[in-house]
Amino acid sequence: MSDLIDFLTVKEVGEKWNVSGRMVTIYCKDGRIEGAIKKGNLWLVPIDAKKPADGRTSGAKKTKNKTDHSCNL
């Protein structure tokens, strides 16, 4: 098992990223934070994890829409 010193709680990550702990929990649950693990009812996030793009902003939507959605019929 990884050393727990290498992880932060969702509250700590939320303070670091300037978002709520609930938003970090949602990112974890949706698999948007690489390396996040769940121990019981506690999510642990790697210290060096990058904040995922917030899909509610127009900047994130522009990045998301750059993928090719063409249909081959």
Side-chain angles (χ1 to χ4, degrees):
M1 185 174 111
S2 296
D3 193 11
L4 292 180
I5 296 172
D6 297 334
F7 292 90
L8 300 172
T9 64
V10 293
K11 182 179 179 182
E12 293 168 329
V13 174
E15 291 171 358
K16 179 179 172 182
W17 291 348
N18 199 29
V19 297
S20 69
R22 177 68 182 139
M23 197 72 227
V24 177
T25 301
I26 292 169
Y27 291 153
C28 291
K29 186 182 73 146
D30 291 346
R32 296 177 60 195
I33 301 177
E34 187 175 333
I37 56 173
K38 190 167 186 181
K39 290 286 187 185
N41 66 347
L42 177 72
W43 280 101
L44 298 173
V45 180
I47 289 176
D48 58 352
K50 304 290 185 225
K51 179 181 176 185
D54 185 348
R56 300 174 297 169
T57 62
S58 61
K61 288 179 183 174
K62 287 178 185 175
T63 304
K64 191 176 183 181
N65 288 337
K66 286 185 178 181
T67 44
D68 184 15
H69 294 291
S70 61
C71 180
N72 297 325
L73 296 177

